[in-house]
Amino acid sequence: MLSLTFALALPAAAQPASRIAFVNANLVPMDRERVLRGQTVLVENGRIAAIGPRIAIPADARRIDARNMWLSPGLADLHTHVQTRDDLAIYLSYGVTAVLHMGEASNAFANRTRIAANTAAIPAPHIYTALAVDGSPRYGHLLVTTAEEARAAVLLARANGYAFIKVYNNLSPEAFAALAAAGRELGIPLIGHTVNAMGGLERQLAAGQILVAHAEEFIYGHFFAPDVDSGERVPPDSSIPGAIAMVKRHNAFVAADLITYGVIAEQRGRPEMAGTYLARPETRLLSPRYRLEWPLSGYDRAGGSLMPRAAFLSRLAKAFADAEVPLVAGTDAPTIPGLFIGDSLHRNLALLEAAGLTRYQALATATRNAGAFIARARPGEPAFGTITPGARADLVLTRANPLEDLATLRAPLGVMAHGIWRDRAALDALLAPIADRYAAATR
């Protein structure tokens, strides 16, 4: 009965068309650094069926005139903590067509909302979820203290549609090993933070963890040991090649989330920053919950400066990218003050470019690399992150070439996700009632 309700809730205008043709588009396919001009992209049942300058377009296909426009893959934010359908619609309006919820999703979100999103019953990116587990109740994650509990957690994750187990700081080595073993057996890989008792990221990656969830984790779990980290000491740049070798040795991915540590560093010791963030125009789409929580977060209460560490992480990301360590985009939005949904992903791309990455390298973190990560973790699922035949048709249409100006992606002319095409007017129509409700709730 639930799926029928979702189907009835989908407006007729948003029903997926079986065939859609983007005609005369300039493509940024992101399979490699190149541009293909004057191409037609035929989408059938949510997949890319054909690409070419002169392909046959079926008579029943809906045509989208993309002349003098640029078609590129939809974006992925692989570290988010969104909770509502409103949050998902906001992501879609920013061109985000895939998200990884990194823990503490409600049961309703992890199951009902995820299923609704992934079956096109609601306007949303494709959702992947991670079950966060820890060896202590300190951070509010699922408590796992023994090997038996660890295996049970992975079984629970599989039964509830989770794609990943997110490991957290206070797990025991015994529990970590059991999570890794059960994850391999049941197809639920490990991702996450530094686990202090494991003695460093090297051991975690060797045991099977496939993603380091923050660039900053290398400070805590590789360059310094957690028990000797002063909280502000900056690793020498001469230590970066060793980190590169370690990640490549284990074929791991790294979340290049410069925006996350950047906003934490920006507000350290500066209580006025919460108000500064809330004065930004993006606040119109910020849930009243976060308008109340951001000023109380406590990130402003610590002393000292994290800016030198933030600068080091920029150099680390640049070195990783140049060494072809696979970086993926993540933001941690919206739980940390200043991290607006959707907006933060674009700010992160800008920070990566400012760190010295080429625009192609920066954009790859949110497209082809994100797709490669999911392909490794979830073999058999439809590919995404590139515009290639057979891939999921996650697409963004922009006025300019993103390889010349990444900012063009912030305001897409249209977005396709789950086989549904929404032009700018349709995207704005998703946002208007959200902004109105939030404004009414905060008067």
Side-chain angles (χ1 to χ4, degrees):
M1 189 67 187
L2 183 62
S3 60
L4 176 61
T5 302
F6 285 146
L8 292 174
L10 188 64
Q15 294 287 348
S18 60
R19 293 187 179 96
I20 295 179
F22 296 87
V23 182
N24 292 319
N26 297 316
L27 297 191
V28 181
M30 293 303 292
D31 55 346
R32 59 183 186 273
E33 188 170 4
R34 61 172 178 158
V35 167
L36 302 173
R37 296 179 182 271
Q39 303 289 303
T40 292
V41 177
L42 178 63
V43 176
E44 295 184 346
N45 299 316
R47 300 277 195 98
I48 297 170
I51 301 170
R54 289 178 294 276
I55 64 172
I57 301 175
D60 63 346
R62 178 185 176 189
R63 293 174 179 244
I64 307 294
D65 184 1
R67 188 181 303 275
N68 298 322
M69 302 175 198
W70 299 80
L71 197 65
S72 56
L75 305 176
D77 186 340
L78 296 189
H79 193 139
T80 183
H81 294 282
V82 294
Q83 295 287 356
T84 69
R85 296 186 183 189
D86 287 349
D87 295 342
L88 297 169
I90 294 166
Y91 258 130
L92 201 62
S93 76
Y94 276 98
V96 177
T97 56
V99 295
L100 169 54
H101 193 293
M102 269 284 195
E104 296 310 299
S106 68
N107 288 336
F109 184 93
N111 283 294
R112 184 173 59 193
T113 301
R114 175 184 57 82
I115 293 168
N118 293 354
T119 56
I122 60 173
H126 196 91
I127 300 173
Y128 302 92
T129 52
L131 180 64
V133 299
D134 201 0
S136 155
R138 178 180 178 186
Y139 297 104
H141 301 315
L142 184 69
L143 189 61
V144 170
T145 59
T146 67
E148 181 181 19
E149 290 170 354
R151 180 171 176 80
V154 179
L155 287 167
L156 184 69
R158 185 178 67 169
N160 285 274
Y162 287 91
F164 302 96
I165 293 290
K166 179 186 178 183
V167 296
Y168 219 74
N169 304 6
N170 297 308
L171 285 166
S172 68
E174 175 192 25
F176 185 96
L179 288 167
R184 283 192 298 273
E185 177 190 343
L186 300 172
I188 312 289
L190 302 193
I191 60 178
H193 284 217
T194 298
V195 175
N196 297 338
M198 287 295 291
L201 286 173
E202 173 93 51
R203 293 182 180 177
Q204 292 176 226
L205 300 184
Q209 183 173 329
I210 65 171
L211 171 71
V212 181
H214 299 279
E216 69 188 82
E217 296 300 324
F218 286 86
I219 295 177
Y220 319 132
H222 182 73
F223 299 119
F224 303 131
D227 57 346
V228 300
D229 179 18
S230 69
E232 295 180 34
R233 192 155 53 110
V234 177
D237 285 10
S238 60
S239 63
I240 291 177
I244 292 171
M246 183 262 289
V247 176
K248 296 188 80 167
R249 190 159 51 245
H250 300 294
N251 193 27
F253 290 76
V254 176
D257 59 336
L258 298 184
I259 188 65
T260 311
Y261 200 82
V263 297
I264 292 172
E266 182 178 59
Q267 61 197 281
R268 192 177 180 95
R270 300 178 64 192
E272 75 278 8
M273 285 308 299
T276 299
Y277 297 142
L278 293 175
R280 289 183 53 183
E282 289 81 9
T283 301
R284 66 185 279 270
L285 295 173
L286 183 69
S287 165
R289 167 188 171 180
Y290 293 109
R291 298 187 201 191
L292 293 173
E293 289 182 359
W294 280 10
L296 305 176
S297 66
Y299 284 101
D300 60 326
R301 293 177 199 148
S305 175
L306 296 178
M307 287 300 184
R309 278 192 167 183
F312 171 80
L313 292 176
S314 293
R315 298 192 297 275
L316 180 66
K318 163 69 171 168
F320 276 161
D322 288 347
E324 299 184 344
V325 168
L327 301 177
V328 297
T331 64
D332 234 344
T335 53
I336 298 174
L339 296 180
F340 293 92
I341 295 167
D343 166 76
S344 295
L345 182 63
H346 293 281
R347 290 169 61 202
N348 195 64
L349 294 179
L351 286 174
L352 290 170
E353 184 180 1
L357 279 71
T358 67
R359 283 184 285 273
Y360 175 78
Q361 287 175 324
L363 185 54
T365 68
T367 55
R368 63 167 292 146
N369 293 359
F373 167 70
I374 295 295
R376 162 128 180 247
R378 310 283 292 174
E381 289 200 5
F384 72 93
T386 61
I387 302 180
T388 49
R392 204 165 68 203
D394 295 355
L395 302 170
V396 175
L397 189 66
T398 56
R399 199 173 302 279
N401 179 359
L403 296 183
E404 295 179 354
D405 181 9
L406 290 170
T408 192
L409 293 163
R410 290 183 62 90
L413 301 174
V415 176
M416 172 170 272
H418 300 120
I420 298 174
W421 166 250
R422 292 180 175 87
D423 62 15
R424 187 69 249 173
L427 295 171
D428 289 341
L430 294 178
L431 301 182
I434 297 172
D436 289 346
R437 279 188 282 104
Y438 289 177
T442 52
R443 287 194 185 108

